[in-house]
Amino acid sequence: MNNKDLAKNVLELVGGEQNISGLTHCATRLRFVLKDDSKADLKTLNQLEGVLKAQNSGGQVQIIIGAKVDAVYSEVKNLTSDRLENSEESAASSGSKKKRNPFNVVLETIAGIFTPILPALVGCGMIKCLATVMAALGWLEGSGFMVIINMIGDLIFYFLPFFLAVSAAHKFKTNPYLAVALAAGLMHPTILNAAAKIAETGVSTVDFLGMPILLMKYSSSVIPIILAVWIMSYLYPLVNRVIPKFLQVLLTPMIVLFIMVPLELIVFGPVGSHIGDWLTNGINSLFSTAGVLAGAILGFFKPIMVMFGMHYAIMPIQIQQVATLGATVLLPTALAANLAQAGAAFGVFVLTKNKTMKSAAGSSGLTALFGITEPAIYGVTLKYKRPFFAACLAGGIVGGFYSLVHTTANAIALPGVLALGTYTADRYIYVILGCIASVVLAFIFTLIAGIKEDTDGTSLATQQNAGPADNNPTMAAGSTVQSETSLQTTSSTDMLIVSPMTGEIKPISEVEDQAFAQELMGKGIAVVPTEGKVYAPFDGVVEALYRTKHAIGLKANNGVEILIHIGVDTVSLKGKYFNAHIKQGQAIQAGDLLVEFDPEGITSAGYNTITSIVVTNMQQYGDVLTTASSGPIRESEALIKLIP
């Protein structure tokens, strides 16, 4: 499925553009703020090609896409741009906002303000890392090149209020240019120069109509501009309602600035700066008095915070620490946690016998080394659970160690191996040792904990070679019995799912769609159809039928859920060559004809007909095996074995 089609499906499954009141994204996920969360079909979103996971967390519907999230976000914005802006404005002006948990609102606000400026933060952070490494090696010391490189690394911290003003204006749905003007009020040389000369002049305030304006340096401040833009988002429409329409363009901006600039300098600036200093000093005091414990707790819970999108709650504190103190004590714990997830993924790589999972574990482990952990968490470690908590334990141990040796980071960058130049400790070797320990400990803990998977190297193919009568009496009766029973018991607990089509069996790893090939959608098998018919493999209900009829979600009466996806990227055919004989919600019996399709027509249109058949609720079973990895199969013959 290409990015545009994925965006269309996501948009529809969150309730349509009319249900969206806000949309942002971070490094791996789309973050929707919806008017009615109940309209979001999380179950179908979780089964959608290209979606690693969909969840409702922190007041948002979060759809985890992975590395291509930026491209999908752009497609969503292209599909909704004008109408989404209108819907956001009407949502902001309406008084019928739904009641929400205040904590979730705060998290959503923080994430909504800071995620758009992440590219600038990370970009400047990585440049800062490069400058630090070059300085340590003595390269080009004192040169103009180093002057410019250091300047680039410091850009965002010298002018942070401008970045936050634009982002906050979009979040609070107010005029971004007036927001930038407020930032300019904090950053004007009149204030900054006077603040820098307090020691010389002894003048620390400016009188404004009898009220003192404190002279302070706001270049790296976070809270003052956010508070000012938030208040302006209420003041601006209020002034607009009072001023006659023919004078609004002249008087409204003037009155808003006349009120807001002095107000931010007299109230929000000093108050926000003191709050920021209090938080920064409070965190530092915590780490200085109970550093090992604090580091261990943050290192352990960092992946869990990522799962719920709560890691952005500490972003303002990290930025404030770097801006005011030159370093943060929080990022090292994130480094430990990220590298631990990499180690756990490598552990799964060694333990698993599944070739597709080996590929997923290896690639996501490498990605986690560079600071992006969602593919490792959602695609590998959380799937087996034990590796996930093995990584949490390793991250906690190393997080405590980093606090013990006073590890800090002097720039905001993705916590991974490429940013190691931004970290310092009592001795730099401790930073390297912590990185190695995170990976190795998580790897060892994962090997010790193991994964719940069939590791004897056998499958039903071995049983079939021994003959059906030797291993499975129900199979010996032939395909007629299988069609009637639909889900057969091969032992006291194991179950068989029969094939819904006739064709040639292929490993799921051969499907040219990573969502299926890496088993992100579920474990299963692929079939290259030789007949254009899909039959019900069991008694149950049609849980989902896509409008394009190329994909069917089925649920058996005993709870087994499967997805049958005909072809690769065939959603682009928009239903051409497909004919459905069922409707969503319809009850079905084993052997019912569900969908007919034209394999030759699909192939002539340039699409592959290989069909993925996966168990989407595989977490409820001990393992999902296949009867064979290749060879012909007919409709109603045993295809998948479920082990509780």
Side-chain angles (χ1 to χ4, degrees):
M1 184 182 298
N2 60 39
N3 294 334
K4 187 173 183 179
D5 290 331
L6 178 56
K8 287 180 180 177
N9 281 282
V10 166
L11 189 60
E12 180 181 345
L13 292 171
V14 297
E17 59 196 69
Q18 68 278 2
N19 192 39
I20 302 172
S21 62
L23 171 63
T24 59
H25 77 95
C26 55
T28 55
R29 66 188 74 188
L30 298 173
R31 296 167 173 269
F32 288 92
V33 179
L34 303 181
K35 298 174 185 176
D36 185 354
D37 289 349
S38 65
K39 291 183 178 179
D41 188 348
L42 295 181
K43 186 173 184 179
T44 306
L45 279 166
N46 271 308
Q47 297 174 350
L48 197 61
E49 296 175 56
V51 173
L52 293 175
K53 185 175 178 59
Q55 61 188 17
N56 193 326
S57 178
Q60 303 170 329
V61 170
Q62 301 175 4
I63 301 174
I64 301 160
I65 303 292
K68 65 177 184 178
V69 65
D70 189 57
V72 177
Y73 171 80
S74 297
E75 292 293 349
V76 173
K77 293 293 287 184
N78 288 339
L79 291 170
T80 60
S81 54
D82 295 336
R83 287 166 291 185
L84 181 56
E85 290 297 326
N86 292 336
S87 69
E88 289 180 355
E89 289 172 9
S90 62
S93 61
S94 74
S96 58
K97 290 185 178 180
K98 57 186 178 182
K99 292 183 178 179
R100 302 168 59 201
N101 186 311
F103 180 69
N104 288 342
V105 172
V106 171
L107 284 182
E108 172 208 317
T109 302
I110 292 172
I113 291 172
F114 282 93
T115 51
I117 69 170
L118 276 180
L121 273 171
V122 172
C124 290
M126 294 308 295
I127 294 291
K128 189 79 171 177
C129 175
L130 176 64
T132 303
V133 171
M134 292 179 68
L137 296 173
W139 292 354
L140 301 174
E141 189 174 353
S143 68
F145 178 83
M146 286 301 296
V147 170
I148 298 301
I149 289 296
N150 278 303
M151 181 197 76
I152 297 172
D154 290 333
L155 281 177
I156 193 163
F157 291 108
Y158 276 110
F159 303 104
L160 188 58
F162 289 106
F163 292 90
L164 292 174
V166 175
S167 186
H170 285 295
K171 180 61 186 174
F172 298 131
K173 304 173 183 66
T174 190
N175 190 296
Y177 303 102
L178 285 178
V180 170
L182 295 186
L186 294 173
M187 297 291 294
H188 197 277
T190 300
I191 301 298
L192 295 184
N193 292 344
K197 295 179 180 179
I198 289 177
E200 292 178 31
T201 63
V203 178
S204 60
T205 62
V206 173
D207 182 85
F208 180 80
L209 300 178
M211 294 176 287
I213 292 178
L214 292 177
L215 297 175
M216 302 180 70
K217 184 180 178 182
Y218 294 109
S219 346
S220 303
S221 62
V222 172
I223 298 176
I225 187 62
I226 293 177
L227 286 175
V229 175
W230 177 52
I231 294 298
M232 189 186 75
S233 69
Y234 290 96
L235 178 65
Y236 187 90
L238 180 64
V239 173
N240 234 10
R241 284 197 296 268
V242 175
I243 302 298
K245 286 188 177 181
F246 72 95
L247 291 175
Q248 285 177 352
V249 69
L250 294 174
L251 297 184
T252 299
M254 181 190 77
I255 294 172
V256 168
L257 289 176
F258 185 80
I259 295 173
M260 285 305 308
V261 173
L263 191 61
E264 72 175 352
L265 292 173
I266 295 169
V267 180
F268 304 134
V271 169
S273 292
H274 288 310
I275 292 174
D277 291 342
W278 177 77
L279 288 173
T280 299
N281 294 330
I283 292 293
N284 283 343
S285 297
L286 175 64
F287 272 75
S288 64
T289 55
V292 175
L293 180 60
I297 291 173
L298 277 176
F300 183 92
F301 282 100
K302 173 62 164 47
I304 299 172
M305 294 172 70
V306 170
M307 285 174 54
F308 292 99
M310 295 172 61
H311 52 304
Y312 286 102
I314 60 176
M315 177 69 76
I317 303 174
Q318 291 176 169
I319 294 174
Q320 189 80 32
Q321 285 186 323
V322 172
T324 58
L325 304 176
T328 174
V329 295
L330 298 176
L331 268 179
T333 61
L335 176 67
N338 286 0
L339 296 185
Q341 287 295 326
F346 293 143
V348 173
F349 175 85
V350 170
L351 291 174
T352 183
K353 302 299 181 183
N354 185 295
K355 291 182 179 179
T356 301
M357 183 52 66
K358 272 188 180 296
S359 174
S363 61
S364 64
L366 289 173
T367 304
L369 286 177
F370 295 107
I372 302 293
T373 56
E374 273 89 341
I377 291 174
Y378 292 107
V380 181
T381 62
L382 197 59
K383 185 174 292 187
Y384 294 108
K385 296 183 178 63
R386 293 175 186 173
F388 176 79
F389 289 105
C392 288
L393 179 59
I397 292 172
V398 177
F401 168 75
Y402 272 155
S403 297
L404 182 66
V405 297
H406 306 107
T407 308
T408 60
N410 63 11
I412 304 297
L414 286 178
V417 293
L418 290 181
L420 287 182
T422 64
Y423 293 85
T424 60
D426 291 341
R427 296 177 62 187
Y428 188 73
I429 189 63
Y430 293 150
V431 177
I432 304 300
L433 290 176
C435 292
I436 296 172
S438 295
V439 177
V440 172
L441 286 176
F443 179 81
I444 293 173
F445 291 162
T446 299
L447 294 184
I448 294 172
I451 58 176
K452 200 172 182 182
E453 182 179 65
D454 183 27
T455 56
D456 61 6
T458 63
S459 69
L460 280 183
T462 307
Q463 297 179 18
Q464 280 192 327
N465 291 336
D470 295 331
N471 294 291
N472 189 355
T474 60
M475 290 176 64
S479 61
T480 303
V481 175
Q482 291 169 8
S483 178
E484 290 173 358
T485 57
S486 72
L487 270 172
Q488 303 171 32
T489 301
T490 60
S491 68
S492 60
T493 55
D494 298 349
M495 294 175 291
L496 284 175
I497 299 177
V498 301
S499 176
M501 60 170 48
T502 298
E504 188 82 12
I505 295 176
K506 297 288 183 182
I508 195 74
S509 59
E510 293 190 11
V511 178
E512 295 177 356
D513 186 322
Q514 291 304 302
F516 289 103
Q518 294 186 10
E519 296 186 342
L520 299 177
M521 306 296 293
K523 281 191 173 185
I525 194 71
V527 175
V528 178
T530 54
E531 295 180 7
K533 293 182 179 180
V534 180
Y535 297 91
F538 45 61
D539 298 343
V541 66
V542 179
E543 286 272 285
L545 176 65
Y546 289 79
R547 290 184 301 175
T548 49
K549 304 162 192 168
H550 73 292
I552 316 155
L554 304 176
K555 184 175 183 179
N557 289 338
N558 69 346
V560 177
E561 298 177 9
I562 69 169
L563 174 66
I564 303 171
H565 190 284
I566 306 165
V568 177
D569 288 335
T570 45
V571 65
S572 302
L573 292 171
K574 299 180 180 179
K576 188 178 181 181
Y577 305 118
F578 294 89
N579 181 32
H581 294 275
I582 39 89
K583 297 180 180 179
Q584 186 166 324
Q586 177 180 328
I588 55 172
Q589 293 184 334
D592 285 351
L593 179 61
L594 304 179
V595 170
E596 287 185 280
F597 59 96
D598 180 3
E600 293 182 1
I602 294 172
T603 303
S604 65
Y607 295 88
N608 193 332
T609 60
I610 189 169
T611 298
S612 302
I613 304 163
V614 297
V615 178
T616 54
N617 62 339
M618 63 181 183
Q619 297 87 353
Q620 298 180 17
Y621 302 93
D623 209 346
V624 178
L625 305 176
T626 55
T627 59
S629 59
S630 62
I633 190 167
R634 293 192 60 80
E635 174 268 324
S636 79
E637 291 181 347
L639 181 66
I640 296 174
K641 179 182 179 181
L642 300 175
I643 301 176

